[in-house]
Amino acid sequence: SQLPADLAVRMLLKPLLFVDWFLHHSFATEPAALLPFQPHAAAPTEPSEFEVDVDFDGRRWRYTLRCTRERVLHEALYAKHDRMRYVFVREWNAAIQSYEVKQQDFGLAPSEARKVRPNASLIATAAQYGVPLAQRMVGAYMWSNVSMLGRLANDVDQVLRAADYFARQESQRQQLVRLLSAWDLGLSDLQLRKHEGLLPGGEPVSAWLPYGVHRMANGASFELPFSLESSGTQGAFVLLHRLLPVLEAGGLAVIDEFENDLHPHMLEPILDLFANPATNPHRAQLLFTCHAMEVLNIVHKSQVMLVEKDDKSESSAWRLDTVEGIRSDDNFYAKYMAGAFGAVPQL
């Protein structure tokens, strides 16, 4: 799916990434730690609500969460049968200062379910106790370039992280080289070398550094440290270290400003990696925000969400295929530029 950037990050990407963190990692937090999200500025004292629908294990699931930064007030998981049925529902009872939990075929001992910490997910906790469904859910892949503070820049640190990843994944390094070479970035190979050094205090440190190999017309070749490669080459390198793991294992990639540092003509071949069953055998998904409006002409209307903020600073989102009168063969780019869909800046 493709979303206009900025508003979508705050409205859709960060909440999704918080839910992913909560399900995977909240068990490991300190007992008194605040939950790492910011409530809406227009209602700072009100609980925040999250809801995610997902296809998983061949079934439709719905996860709902209502919480403050101090505690979970409501957490529930539903599975689709003939209708949505609860797997568990967890509610905070303020009168008795305790949680009430009901389960259907979830498998966490009731005594343990009632003791789950206020700042931890029942799913994250159940995974630690060996509950099979919870373990499968926390094992799902999600890769992103968004942190709590926003998009991670394609800086030296991100290049080094990507290099460290590909140094441990030789088959994906080879796929990376094939893709970069096919996209005509001037590379014929990409080598990784481990360098040792000392920190100012004398502590030893090591890092994998990438080098681009370029072949000339006369058959000779030369190497460039990646710091001297173009921002587009570095951007593609960092982006692919987040996309290739998801394509290989399945899961979700959540990317803010997908087109950042990339030539517009590179967008379609990268999207094709997800559209092609040969490169996406596990049906991985890509959710991204984008300022490159040309991408509207290479996606289906059901894959586009538009986001708009009103004069009360409240944002709303809608899928393009819910706009009345939109045909699949319309020129989405031209109509969007003409303001037919809304979700354009008021300049």
Side-chain angles (χ1 to χ4, degrees):
S1 296
Q2 180 260 342
L3 310 164
D6 300 336
L7 289 178
V9 176
R10 296 192 299 272
M11 182 179 179
L12 297 174
L13 297 197
K14 282 189 176 180
L16 179 62
L17 293 166
F18 165 72
V19 170
D20 178 70
W21 172 88
F22 187 64
L23 296 182
H24 283 78
H25 304 297
S26 58
F27 179 81
T29 57
E30 294 294 327
L34 297 178
L35 290 173
F37 73 92
Q38 291 296 328
H40 196 288
T45 62
E46 295 297 318
S48 297
E49 299 184 9
F50 306 84
E51 180 175 312
V52 179
D53 277 35
V54 62
D55 289 324
F56 178 77
D57 266 5
R59 179 175 289 173
R60 176 63 59 86
W61 303 80
R62 178 172 298 149
Y63 176 76
T64 60
L65 174 67
R66 185 173 70 255
C67 59
T68 63
R69 295 199 66 196
E70 291 74 24
R71 72 169 57 254
V72 171
L73 302 175
H74 162 92
E75 184 184 16
L77 178 67
Y78 302 88
K80 181 68 181 291
H81 298 272
D82 53 330
R83 55 183 176 81
M84 283 290 186
R85 300 179 187 175
Y86 75 84
V87 178
F88 71 78
V89 178
R90 173 191 181 200
E91 298 277 0
W92 173 250
N93 188 325
I96 62 173
Q97 292 291 292
S98 180
Y99 284 102
E100 298 174 341
V101 182
K102 56 182 183 179
Q103 304 181 56
Q104 290 188 121
D105 301 322
F106 185 57
L108 181 61
S111 59
E112 298 298 337
R114 288 191 296 271
K115 292 190 296 184
V116 175
R117 294 199 321 270
N119 62 352
S121 164
L122 191 73
I123 293 176
T125 305
Q128 304 301 313
Y129 286 91
V131 174
L133 175 58
Q135 289 185 322
R136 293 198 301 276
M137 287 187 159
V138 301
Y141 279 94
M142 181 182 290
W143 286 65
S144 180
N145 68 341
V146 180
S147 73
M148 186 178 179
L149 300 177
R151 180 175 65 84
L152 300 171
N154 290 334
D155 56 15
V156 173
D157 180 63
Q158 295 304 308
V159 170
L160 292 178
R161 287 175 182 269
D164 181 73
Y165 175 80
F166 285 118
R168 294 178 284 106
Q169 302 289 338
E170 174 58 20
S171 64
Q172 290 188 30
R173 187 199 68 83
Q174 293 178 15
Q175 185 180 8
L176 167 77
V177 171
R178 289 194 297 271
L179 290 170
L180 294 182
S181 299
W183 294 342
D184 194 25
L185 292 174
L187 289 176
S188 60
D189 198 0
L190 187 145
Q191 294 295 320
L192 299 163
R193 298 196 187 96
K194 196 169 189 178
H195 290 254
E196 310 285 344
L198 295 175
L199 294 175
E203 182 181 353
V205 64
S206 63
W208 289 93
L209 299 182
Y211 294 82
V213 180
H214 298 257
R215 191 172 302 279
M216 297 184 290
N218 62 4
S221 64
F222 64 92
E223 288 188 357
L224 278 179
F226 232 64
S227 59
L228 300 181
E229 297 285 357
S230 70
S231 59
T233 302
Q234 294 184 46
F237 177 66
V238 172
L239 176 63
L240 286 171
H241 108 275
R242 297 186 174 106
L243 301 186
L244 294 184
V246 177
L247 288 165
E248 181 173 88
L252 175 65
V254 179
I255 305 296
D256 181 27
E257 295 191 18
F258 176 69
E259 81 287 10
N260 189 53
D261 292 329
L262 299 179
H263 189 282
H265 289 176
M266 290 183 63
L267 300 181
E268 187 166 5
I270 293 178
L271 294 180
D272 282 344
L273 294 175
F274 285 83
N276 187 342
T279 52
N280 188 10
H282 301 291
R283 303 176 66 185
Q285 291 184 302
L286 172 64
L287 178 65
F288 66 94
T289 67
C290 192
H291 285 299
M293 292 167 288
E294 298 84 357
V295 79
L296 288 169
N297 282 336
I298 57 176
V299 293
H300 188 269
K301 63 180 179 179
S302 64
Q303 297 174 308
V304 178
M305 292 191 70
L306 302 170
V307 183
E308 187 169 67
K309 183 169 67 175
D310 63 20
D311 56 4
K312 298 178 182 178
S313 293
E314 295 180 355
S315 300
S316 57
W318 61 94
R319 236 167 58 175
L320 184 57
D321 61 350
T322 64
V323 178
E324 188 174 352
I326 301 299
R327 295 160 45 97
S328 295
D329 59 354
D330 280 342
N331 186 324
F332 302 145
Y333 171 81
K335 287 199 168 186
Y336 176 79
M337 293 298 288
F341 306 146
V344 293
Q346 301 295 318
L347 302 177

